[in-house]
Amino acid sequence: MSVFDTVRDTASEIKDMKIRGAGRIARAGASAAGEFAETYKGGSLEEFRKDLETARGILLESRPTAVSLWNGVQACTKDVCNASSLEEAKESVICNARLFVETSSKAVEFIARIGARRISDGDVLLTHCNSTAALGVIKKAHAQGKDIKVYATESRPWRQGLLTVRELSEAGIDVTLIVDSAVRSVMRKTDRVFVGADTVTSNGELINKIGTSQLALAADEAGVPFNVCTETYKFSPLTMFGDTVAIEERDCGEVAEKGSLPENVRIYNPVFDVTPAKYINSIITELGILSPGSVYDVMVRQLGEDIFKMRDNP
Ligand code: RI2
C-alpha cells in the first residue's frame, strides 16, 4: 500500500473519464488530496510537503485542459507553506479540501438560480456536451414552471449528449437529441444557448468541449444569445501572465474503432476548442452575470495580491 494509491486511483479515473465534467474532476481531485493528508503516515513536515507535491503532480497530469482540477488541488494545498508542524499541514489540507468541495457544490446551485432568470416561458434552448452548471440552469427554469424545449448535441466522439438527454428527460423536460453537425440548422429555432466551461482565460475566452466554438459562431450569425455557465474556479489565473491552455487530444480509438480504417489514415481527436470572447454574451457565475471583459478583475479580486507572485515567480 503506497501513500499515493488514492491519488493514483483518482487520477486514473479522471484520465479514463470515469470521473468527468470540469466541476466533478475538481471535486474529485480535492477529495483525493484531502484523503492523502488524512491517511498520510510519513514522518516530518518536510517529507509531507515533498510527498504532497508528488501527489499534486499525479492528479494534475490526468487531464491537462480543465483548470478546475488545478485550482481545486491548489485550493487544498495553498496553506501548507505556512504550517509549522506536520499535523498543522495535514489539517490545513483536510479542511481546505472539504471547504472546496462544499463551496464548489453550492456554486452550481447559485448559477442555476441566477441563470434560470435568463430563461423565459416558451424558450427553445440549445446545449452542448454534458455540463452540470448548464443543465442546472435549464432544470431550475423547468422547476420554476417555465415551458421550455431543449436541443442537446450528441457531442462526438465521447457522446456526452446521451447523458444530457437522459438527465433532462428524467427531469421531465422536452429534449431532442441532435447530431453535432445539425447545430446551425437548429439555431434558427433556438432562443438561447447555454454551455458549460472547462476553463475561462483572463481575457474572457472559453475553453470547452470540441464543437462549442461552432455553436457560438452559429449563434452569433443567428443573433441568439450564447451563455456560458461556470464556477469562477474555472477561471485560469496562469493565463493572466501569458500561459496558454493545453488542448487535450485523446486516443484515436474514441473516433474510429482500431483497425476499421486503412493504416495510412490519420485521426486527429482534440476534445476541447477555444471560443473567442466576442461570441460570448454572458458568463453566468456564482458571483453573478459577467461580461467576458470582466474575468480579469474578478480573478484579481478573488486571489488578491498573491496573484502577482505568479507573475514574479513563473
Ligand atoms: P461541468 C466537460 O468536459 C464539458 O466540456 C463541460 O462543458 C465541462 O466539462 C464543464 O462541465 P468533459 O469532462 O463542470 O466531458 O459544468 O471532457 O459539469
Side-chain angles (χ1 to χ4, degrees):
M1 177 78 172
S2 155
V3 70
F4 301 111
D5 283 356
T6 305
V7 288
R8 283 201 181 99
D9 291 347
T10 301
S12 168
E13 288 183 307
I14 292 172
K15 185 170 182 57
D16 296 345
M17 293 180 68
K18 291 191 181 98
I19 299 174
R20 51 151 299 280
R24 289 189 202 92
I25 68 174
R27 288 187 284 277
S31 301
E35 195 171 335
F36 172 84
E38 276 185 77
T39 58
Y40 189 77
K41 298 284 182 284
S44 70
L45 175 56
E46 276 326 298
E47 270 177 351
F48 177 71
R49 282 184 173 137
K50 183 171 67 62
D51 289 342
L52 182 64
E53 191 50 34
T54 303
R56 183 175 174 278
I58 292 167
L59 288 167
L60 296 189
E61 69 186 11
S62 56
R63 290 203 76 190
T65 301
V67 78
S68 57
L69 181 56
W70 191 92
N71 284 337
V73 175
Q74 192 73 9
C76 300
T77 61
K78 64 185 173 62
D79 296 329
V80 169
C81 56
N82 303 323
S84 53
S85 71
L86 173 60
E87 282 317 307
E88 192 182 328
K90 287 170 63 174
E91 194 55 30
S92 77
V93 175
I94 294 164
C95 292
N96 283 334
R98 285 185 190 139
L99 180 63
F100 177 83
V101 171
E102 187 186 319
T103 313
S104 154
S105 302
K106 279 185 184 159
V108 174
E109 182 52 31
F110 285 129
I111 293 166
R113 278 166 33 195
I114 294 166
R117 302 183 67 170
R118 283 292 171 90
I119 294 174
S120 306
D121 191 39
D123 271 354
V124 175
L125 310 177
L126 172 62
T127 191
H128 185 55
C129 198
N130 177 252
S131 159
T132 311
L135 296 191
V137 168
I138 293 170
K139 290 192 284 189
K140 180 67 78 177
H142 172 73
Q144 291 168 346
K146 293 172 184 170
D147 175 24
I148 57 174
K149 290 179 173 49
V150 181
Y151 287 105
T153 62
E154 178 189 14
S155 307
R156 286 268 301 151
W158 229 78
R159 310 185 78 200
Q160 289 93 326
L162 301 185
L163 299 172
T164 292
V165 294
R166 288 190 190 107
E167 187 173 338
L168 292 182
S169 64
E170 281 161 15
I173 295 171
D174 179 335
V175 60
T176 303
L177 179 69
I178 61 168
V179 293
D180 301 330
S181 42
V183 157
R184 190 162 173 240
S185 305
V186 161
M187 197 58 79
R188 60 171 178 263
K189 295 184 276 190
T190 301
D191 295 303
R192 299 173 201 284
V193 177
F194 291 91
V195 297
D198 287 86
T199 295
V200 178
T201 66
S202 61
N203 61 328
E205 290 182 331
L206 168 65
I207 317 286
N208 197 50
K209 187 52 51 198
I210 189 81
T212 302
S213 60
Q214 283 166 195
L215 262 84
L217 206 52
D220 184 62
E221 177 194 40
V224 172
F226 181 87
N227 304 288
V228 179
C229 308
T230 178
E231 306 89 321
T232 54
Y233 67 79
K234 292 169 182 173
F235 291 4
S236 167
L238 293 173
T239 56
M240 291 173 80
F241 306 119
D243 257 32
T244 53
V245 179
I247 299 293
E248 180 186 2
E249 290 182 38
R250 292 182 66 89
D251 185 83
C252 300
E254 291 184 356
V255 177
E257 203 176 323
K258 290 200 183 334
S260 64
L261 298 174
E263 279 295 312
N264 62 350
V265 171
R266 282 190 293 277
I267 293 176
Y268 175 46
N269 182 23
V271 291
F272 296 106
D273 67 12
V274 183
T275 299
K278 67 179 182 180
Y279 293 119
I280 299 170
N281 296 83
S282 74
I283 301 179
I284 302 169
T285 78
E286 73 280 12
L287 301 181
I289 297 179
L290 315 175
S291 69
S294 53
V295 170
Y296 175 92
D297 294 330
V298 167
M299 281 201 274
V300 170
R301 194 161 67 241
Q302 280 194 314
L303 296 169
E305 292 302 308
D306 280 358
I307 203 162
F308 295 105
K309 288 180 185 164
M310 289 182 189
R311 178 195 59 191
D312 302 341
N313 305 293

Coordinates of all heavy atoms in Angstrom, one line a residue, residues 201-270:
T201 N -10.3 31.9 -19.9 CA -9.0 32.6 -19.8 C -9.2 34.0 -19.3 O -10.3 34.6 -19.2 CB -8.3 32.7 -21.2 OG1 -9.1 33.5 -22.0 CG2 -8.2 31.3 -21.8
S202 N -8.1 34.7 -18.9 CA -8.2 36.0 -18.3 C -8.8 37.1 -19.2 O -9.3 38.1 -18.8 CB -6.8 36.5 -17.8 OG -5.9 36.6 -18.9
N203 N -8.7 36.8 -20.5 CA -9.3 37.8 -21.5 C -10.7 37.3 -22.0 O -11.2 37.7 -23.0 CB -8.4 38.0 -22.7 CG -8.1 36.7 -23.5 OD1 -8.1 35.7 -22.9 ND2 -7.9 36.9 -24.8
G204 N -11.3 36.4 -21.2 CA -12.7 36.0 -21.4 C -12.9 35.0 -22.5 O -14.0 34.8 -23.0
E205 N -11.9 34.3 -22.9 CA -12.1 33.2 -23.9 C -12.6 31.9 -23.2 O -12.2 31.7 -22.1 CB -10.8 32.9 -24.7 CG -10.4 34.0 -25.6 CD -9.1 33.6 -26.4 OE1 -8.3 32.9 -25.9 OE2 -8.9 34.1 -27.5
L206 N -13.4 31.1 -23.9 CA -13.9 29.9 -23.3 C -13.2 28.7 -23.9 O -13.1 28.5 -25.1 CB -15.4 29.8 -23.6 CG -16.1 28.5 -23.4 CD1 -16.1 28.1 -21.9 CD2 -17.5 28.5 -23.9
I207 N -12.7 27.8 -23.0 CA -12.2 26.5 -23.5 C -13.2 25.5 -23.0 O -13.5 25.4 -21.8 CB -10.9 26.2 -22.8 CG1 -9.9 27.4 -22.8 CG2 -10.2 24.9 -23.5 CD1 -9.3 27.7 -24.0
N208 N -13.9 24.8 -24.0 CA -14.9 23.9 -23.6 C -14.9 22.8 -24.7 O -14.1 22.7 -25.6 CB -16.3 24.6 -23.6 CG -17.3 23.8 -22.9 OD1 -17.2 23.3 -21.8 ND2 -18.5 23.6 -23.6
K209 N -15.8 21.8 -24.5 CA -15.9 20.6 -25.3 C -15.8 21.0 -26.8 O -16.5 22.0 -27.3 CB -17.2 19.9 -25.1 CG -17.3 18.5 -25.7 CD -16.2 17.6 -25.5 CE -15.8 17.5 -24.1 NZ -14.5 17.0 -23.8
I210 N -15.1 20.2 -27.6 CA -14.9 20.5 -29.0 C -16.3 20.6 -29.7 O -17.2 19.9 -29.4 CB -14.1 19.3 -29.6 CG1 -13.7 19.6 -31.1 CG2 -14.8 18.0 -29.6 CD1 -12.5 20.5 -31.2
G211 N -16.4 21.6 -30.5 CA -17.7 21.9 -31.2 C -18.3 23.1 -30.5 O -19.2 23.7 -31.1
T212 N -17.9 23.5 -29.3 CA -18.5 24.7 -28.7 C -18.4 25.9 -29.5 O -19.3 26.7 -29.7 CB -17.9 24.9 -27.3 OG1 -18.1 23.7 -26.5 CG2 -18.5 26.1 -26.6
S213 N -17.2 26.1 -30.1 CA -17.0 27.3 -30.9 C -17.8 27.4 -32.1 O -18.2 28.5 -32.6 CB -15.5 27.4 -31.3 OG -15.1 26.3 -32.1
Q214 N -18.2 26.2 -32.6 CA -19.1 26.2 -33.8 C -20.6 26.6 -33.4 O -21.2 27.4 -34.1 CB -19.2 24.8 -34.4 CG -18.0 24.5 -35.3 CD -17.8 23.1 -35.6 OE1 -16.7 22.7 -36.1 NE2 -18.8 22.3 -35.5
L215 N -21.0 26.2 -32.2 CA -22.3 26.7 -31.6 C -22.2 28.2 -31.5 O -23.2 28.9 -31.9 CB -22.5 26.1 -30.2 CG -23.4 24.9 -30.1 CD1 -22.5 23.6 -30.3 CD2 -24.0 24.8 -28.7
A216 N -21.1 28.7 -31.0 CA -21.0 30.2 -30.8 C -21.1 30.9 -32.1 O -21.7 32.0 -32.2 CB -19.7 30.5 -30.0
L217 N -20.4 30.4 -33.1 CA -20.4 31.0 -34.4 C -21.8 31.0 -35.0 O -22.3 32.1 -35.5 CB -19.4 30.2 -35.3 CG -18.8 30.9 -36.5 CD1 -18.0 32.2 -36.0 CD2 -17.8 29.9 -37.1
A218 N -22.5 29.9 -34.9 CA -23.8 29.8 -35.5 C -24.8 30.7 -34.7 O -25.7 31.3 -35.2 CB -24.3 28.4 -35.4
A219 N -24.6 30.8 -33.3 CA -25.5 31.6 -32.5 C -25.3 33.1 -32.9 O -26.2 33.9 -33.0 CB -25.1 31.4 -31.0
D220 N -24.0 33.5 -33.1 CA -23.7 34.9 -33.4 C -24.3 35.2 -34.8 O -25.0 36.3 -34.9 CB -22.2 35.0 -33.5 CG -21.7 36.5 -33.8 OD1 -22.0 37.3 -33.0 OD2 -21.2 36.7 -34.9
E221 N -24.2 34.3 -35.7 CA -24.8 34.5 -37.1 C -26.4 34.7 -36.9 O -27.0 35.5 -37.6 CB -24.5 33.3 -38.0 CG -25.1 33.4 -39.3 CD -25.1 32.1 -40.1 OE1 -25.3 31.0 -39.4 OE2 -24.8 32.1 -41.3
A222 N -27.0 33.9 -36.1 CA -28.4 33.9 -35.9 C -28.9 35.0 -34.9 O -30.1 35.1 -34.7 CB -28.9 32.5 -35.5
G223 N -28.0 35.6 -34.2 CA -28.4 36.6 -33.2 C -29.0 36.0 -32.0 O -29.8 36.6 -31.3
V224 N -28.5 34.7 -31.7 CA -29.0 34.0 -30.5 C -28.0 34.2 -29.3 O -26.8 34.0 -29.5 CB -29.2 32.5 -30.8 CG1 -29.5 31.7 -29.6 CG2 -30.2 32.3 -31.9
P225 N -28.5 34.6 -28.1 CA -27.6 34.8 -27.0 C -26.8 33.5 -26.6 O -27.5 32.5 -26.5 CB -28.5 35.3 -25.9 CG -29.7 35.8 -26.5 CD -29.9 35.0 -27.8
F226 N -25.5 33.6 -26.5 CA -24.6 32.5 -26.2 C -24.2 32.7 -24.7 O -23.4 33.6 -24.4 CB -23.5 32.4 -27.1 CG -22.5 31.3 -26.9 CD1 -22.8 30.0 -27.5 CD2 -21.4 31.4 -26.1 CE1 -21.9 29.0 -27.4 CE2 -20.5 30.3 -25.9 CZ -20.8 29.1 -26.5
N227 N -24.6 31.8 -23.8 CA -24.3 32.0 -22.4 C -23.4 30.9 -21.9 O -23.7 29.7 -22.1 CB -25.6 32.0 -21.6 CG -26.6 33.0 -22.1 OD1 -26.4 34.2 -21.9 ND2 -27.6 32.6 -22.9
V228 N -22.4 31.2 -21.1 CA -21.5 30.3 -20.5 C -21.9 30.2 -19.0 O -22.0 31.2 -18.3 CB -20.0 30.7 -20.7 CG1 -19.1 29.7 -20.0 CG2 -19.7 30.9 -22.2
C229 N -22.1 28.9 -18.6 CA -22.4 28.7 -17.1 C -21.2 28.1 -16.4 O -20.8 27.0 -16.8 CB -23.6 27.8 -17.0 SG -25.0 28.3 -18.1
T230 N -20.6 28.8 -15.5 CA -19.4 28.3 -15.0 C -19.1 28.9 -13.6 O -19.4 30.0 -13.3 CB -18.2 28.6 -15.9 OG1 -17.0 28.1 -15.3 CG2 -18.0 30.1 -16.1
E231 N -18.5 28.0 -12.7 CA -18.0 28.5 -11.4 C -16.7 29.2 -11.7 O -15.9 28.9 -12.6 CB -17.7 27.2 -10.6 CG -18.9 26.3 -10.4 CD -18.9 25.2 -11.5 OE1 -18.6 25.5 -12.7 OE2 -19.2 24.1 -11.1
T232 N -16.4 30.2 -10.8 CA -15.2 31.1 -11.1 C -13.9 30.3 -10.8 O -12.9 30.8 -11.3 CB -15.3 32.3 -10.2 OG1 -15.4 31.9 -8.8 CG2 -16.4 33.3 -10.6
Y233 N -14.0 29.2 -10.2 CA -12.7 28.4 -10.0 C -12.3 27.7 -11.4 O -11.3 27.0 -11.4 CB -12.8 27.4 -8.9 CG -13.7 26.3 -9.1 CD1 -13.4 25.2 -9.9 CD2 -15.0 26.3 -8.5 CE1 -14.3 24.1 -10.1 CE2 -15.9 25.2 -8.7 CZ -15.5 24.1 -9.4 OH -16.4 23.1 -9.6
K234 N -13.1 28.0 -12.4 CA -12.6 27.5 -13.7 C -11.9 28.7 -14.5 O -11.5 28.5 -15.6 CB -13.8 27.0 -14.5 CG -14.4 25.7 -13.9 CD -15.7 25.3 -14.5 CE -16.2 24.1 -13.9 NZ -17.6 23.8 -14.3
F235 N -11.8 29.8 -13.8 CA -11.0 30.9 -14.4 C -9.6 30.6 -14.2 O -9.1 30.2 -13.2 CB -11.4 32.2 -13.7 CG -12.8 32.8 -14.0 CD1 -13.7 32.0 -14.7 CD2 -13.1 34.0 -13.5 CE1 -15.0 32.5 -14.9 CE2 -14.4 34.5 -13.7 CZ -15.3 33.7 -14.4
S236 N -8.8 30.8 -15.3 CA -7.4 30.4 -15.2 C -6.4 31.6 -14.9 O -6.1 32.4 -15.8 CB -6.9 29.8 -16.6 OG -5.5 29.7 -16.6
P237 N -5.9 31.7 -13.7 CA -5.0 32.8 -13.4 C -3.7 32.7 -14.1 O -3.1 33.8 -14.5 CB -4.8 32.6 -11.8 CG -5.2 31.2 -11.5 CD -6.2 30.8 -12.5
L238 N -3.3 31.5 -14.5 CA -2.0 31.4 -15.2 C -2.0 32.1 -16.6 O -1.0 32.6 -17.1 CB -1.6 30.0 -15.3 CG -1.3 29.2 -14.0 CD1 -1.0 27.8 -14.2 CD2 0.0 29.9 -13.3
T239 N -3.2 32.2 -17.2 CA -3.3 32.8 -18.5 C -3.2 34.3 -18.4 O -2.9 35.0 -19.4 CB -4.7 32.5 -19.2 OG1 -5.8 32.9 -18.3 CG2 -4.8 31.0 -19.5
M240 N -3.3 34.9 -17.1 CA -3.1 36.4 -17.0 C -1.7 36.8 -17.4 O -1.5 37.9 -17.8 CB -3.3 36.7 -15.5 CG -4.7 36.6 -15.0 SD -4.8 36.9 -13.2 CE -4.8 38.7 -13.2
F241 N -0.8 35.8 -17.1 CA 0.7 36.2 -17.4 C 1.2 35.4 -18.5 O 2.4 35.0 -18.5 CB 1.4 35.9 -16.1 CG 0.8 36.7 -14.9 CD1 0.3 36.0 -13.8 CD2 0.7 38.0 -15.0 CE1 -0.3 36.7 -12.7 CE2 0.0 38.7 -13.9 CZ -0.4 38.1 -12.8
G242 N 0.4 35.1 -19.5 CA 0.9 34.6 -20.8 C 0.7 33.1 -21.0 O 1.0 32.6 -22.1
D243 N 0.4 32.3 -19.9 CA 0.2 30.9 -20.1 C -0.9 30.6 -21.2 O -1.9 31.3 -21.2 CB -0.1 30.2 -18.8 CG 1.1 29.5 -18.2 OD1 2.2 30.0 -18.4 OD2 0.9 28.4 -17.6
T244 N -0.7 29.6 -22.0 CA -1.8 29.2 -22.8 C -2.4 27.9 -22.3 O -1.7 27.2 -21.5 CB -1.3 28.9 -24.3 OG1 -0.2 28.0 -24.1 CG2 -0.8 30.2 -24.9
V245 N -3.6 27.5 -22.7 CA -4.3 26.4 -22.1 C -4.0 25.2 -23.1 O -4.3 25.3 -24.3 CB -5.8 26.6 -22.0 CG1 -6.5 25.4 -21.5 CG2 -6.1 27.8 -21.1
A246 N -3.5 24.1 -22.5 CA -3.3 22.9 -23.4 C -4.6 22.3 -23.8 O -5.5 22.1 -23.0 CB -2.5 21.8 -22.6
I247 N -4.7 22.0 -25.1 CA -5.9 21.4 -25.6 C -5.7 19.9 -25.7 O -4.8 19.4 -26.4 CB -6.3 21.9 -27.0 CG1 -6.6 23.4 -27.0 CG2 -7.5 21.2 -27.6 CD1 -7.8 23.9 -26.2
E248 N -6.4 19.2 -24.8 CA -6.2 17.7 -24.7 C -6.6 17.0 -26.0 O -7.6 17.3 -26.6 CB -7.1 17.2 -23.6 CG -7.0 15.7 -23.3 CD -7.9 15.2 -22.3 OE1 -8.7 16.0 -21.8 OE2 -7.9 14.0 -22.0
E249 N -5.7 16.1 -26.5 CA -6.0 15.2 -27.6 C -6.1 13.8 -27.0 O -5.3 13.4 -26.2 CB -4.9 15.2 -28.6 CG -4.9 16.6 -29.4 CD -3.9 16.6 -30.5 OE1 -3.7 15.5 -31.2 OE2 -3.2 17.6 -30.7
R250 N -7.2 13.1 -27.3 CA -7.4 11.8 -26.8 C -7.2 10.7 -27.8 O -7.0 10.9 -29.0 CB -8.7 11.7 -26.1 CG -8.8 12.6 -24.8 CD -10.1 12.5 -24.1 NE -10.3 11.2 -23.5 CZ -9.9 10.8 -22.3 NH1 -9.2 11.6 -21.6 NH2 -10.1 9.6 -21.9
D251 N -7.3 9.5 -27.3 CA -7.0 8.3 -28.2 C -7.9 8.3 -29.4 O -9.1 8.5 -29.4 CB -7.3 7.0 -27.3 CG -6.9 5.8 -28.1 OD1 -5.7 5.4 -28.0 OD2 -7.8 5.2 -28.7
C252 N -7.2 7.9 -30.5 CA -7.9 7.9 -31.8 C -9.1 6.8 -31.8 O -10.0 6.9 -32.6 CB -7.0 7.5 -33.0 SG -5.6 8.7 -33.1
G253 N -8.9 5.8 -31.0 CA -9.9 4.8 -30.9 C -11.3 5.4 -30.4 O -12.3 4.7 -30.6
E254 N -11.3 6.6 -29.9 CA -12.6 7.2 -29.5 C -13.3 7.7 -30.7 O -14.5 7.8 -30.7 CB -12.3 8.4 -28.6 CG -11.8 8.1 -27.2 CD -11.7 9.3 -26.3 OE1 -11.9 10.4 -26.8 OE2 -11.3 9.1 -25.1
V255 N -12.6 7.9 -31.8 CA -13.2 8.4 -33.0 C -13.6 7.3 -34.0 O -14.7 7.2 -34.5 CB -12.3 9.4 -33.8 CG1 -12.9 9.9 -35.1 CG2 -11.9 10.5 -32.9
A256 N -12.7 6.3 -34.2 CA -13.0 5.2 -35.1 C -12.3 3.9 -34.5 O -11.2 4.0 -34.0 CB -12.4 5.5 -36.5
E257 N -13.1 2.8 -34.5 CA -12.6 1.6 -34.0 C -11.2 1.2 -34.6 O -11.0 1.3 -35.8 CB -13.6 0.5 -34.3 CG -13.5 -0.7 -33.3 CD -14.6 -1.7 -33.6 OE1 -15.7 -1.3 -33.9 OE2 -14.3 -2.9 -33.5
K258 N -10.3 0.8 -33.8 CA -9.0 0.5 -34.3 C -9.1 -0.6 -35.3 O -9.9 -1.6 -35.1 CB -8.1 0.0 -33.1 CG -7.7 1.2 -32.2 CD -6.5 0.9 -31.3 CE -6.1 1.9 -30.3 NZ -6.4 3.3 -30.5
G259 N -8.4 -0.5 -36.4 CA -8.5 -1.5 -37.5 C -9.6 -1.3 -38.5 O -9.7 -2.0 -39.5
S260 N -10.5 -0.3 -38.2 CA -11.6 -0.1 -39.1 C -11.3 0.8 -40.3 O -12.1 0.9 -41.2 CB -12.8 0.5 -38.3 OG -12.4 1.8 -37.9
L261 N -10.1 1.4 -40.2 CA -9.7 2.3 -41.3 C -8.4 1.8 -41.9 O -7.6 1.2 -41.1 CB -9.6 3.7 -40.8 CG -10.9 4.3 -40.3 CD1 -10.7 5.7 -39.7 CD2 -12.0 4.4 -41.4
P262 N -8.0 2.2 -43.1 CA -6.7 1.9 -43.7 C -5.6 2.4 -42.8 O -5.8 3.5 -42.1 CB -6.7 2.6 -45.0 CG -8.2 2.7 -45.4 CD -8.9 2.9 -44.1
E263 N -4.5 1.7 -42.7 CA -3.4 2.0 -41.8 C -2.9 3.5 -42.0 O -2.5 4.1 -41.1 CB -2.2 1.0 -42.1 CG -2.4 -0.3 -41.5 CD -2.3 -0.2 -40.0 OE1 -1.4 0.4 -39.4 OE2 -3.2 -0.8 -39.3
N264 N -3.0 3.9 -43.3 CA -2.3 5.2 -43.5 C -3.3 6.4 -43.3 O -3.0 7.6 -43.6 CB -1.8 5.3 -45.0 CG -3.0 5.1 -46.0 OD1 -4.1 4.8 -45.6 ND2 -2.7 5.4 -47.2
V265 N -4.5 6.1 -42.7 CA -5.4 7.2 -42.4 C -5.1 7.7 -41.0 O -5.0 7.0 -40.0 CB -6.9 6.7 -42.4 CG1 -7.8 7.8 -41.8 CG2 -7.3 6.3 -43.8
R266 N -4.8 9.0 -40.9 CA -4.6 9.6 -39.6 C -5.9 10.1 -38.9 O -6.8 10.4 -39.7 CB -3.6 10.8 -39.7 CG -2.1 10.4 -39.9 CD -1.2 11.6 -39.8 NE -1.5 12.5 -41.0 CZ -0.9 12.3 -42.2 NH1 -0.1 11.3 -42.3 NH2 -1.1 13.1 -43.2
I267 N -5.9 10.1 -37.6 CA -7.1 10.6 -36.9 C -6.6 11.7 -35.9 O -5.7 11.5 -35.2 CB -7.8 9.5 -36.1 CG1 -8.4 8.5 -37.1 CG2 -8.9 10.1 -35.2 CD1 -9.1 7.3 -36.4
Y268 N -7.3 12.9 -35.9 CA -7.0 14.0 -35.1 C -8.2 14.2 -34.1 O -9.3 14.4 -34.5 CB -6.8 15.2 -35.9 CG -6.6 16.5 -35.2 CD1 -5.7 16.6 -34.1 CD2 -7.3 17.7 -35.6 CE1 -5.5 17.8 -33.5 CE2 -7.1 18.9 -34.9 CZ -6.2 19.0 -33.9 OH -6.0 20.2 -33.2
N269 N -7.9 14.0 -32.8 CA -9.0 14.0 -31.8 C -8.8 15.0 -30.7 O -8.7 14.6 -29.5 CB -9.1 12.5 -31.3 CG -10.3 12.4 -30.3 OD1 -11.2 13.2 -30.3 ND2 -10.2 11.4 -29.4
P270 N -8.8 16.3 -31.0 CA -8.8 17.3 -29.9 C -10.2 17.3 -29.2 O -11.2 17.2 -29.9 CB -8.6 18.6 -30.6 CG -9.2 18.4 -32.0 CD -9.0 17.0 -32.3

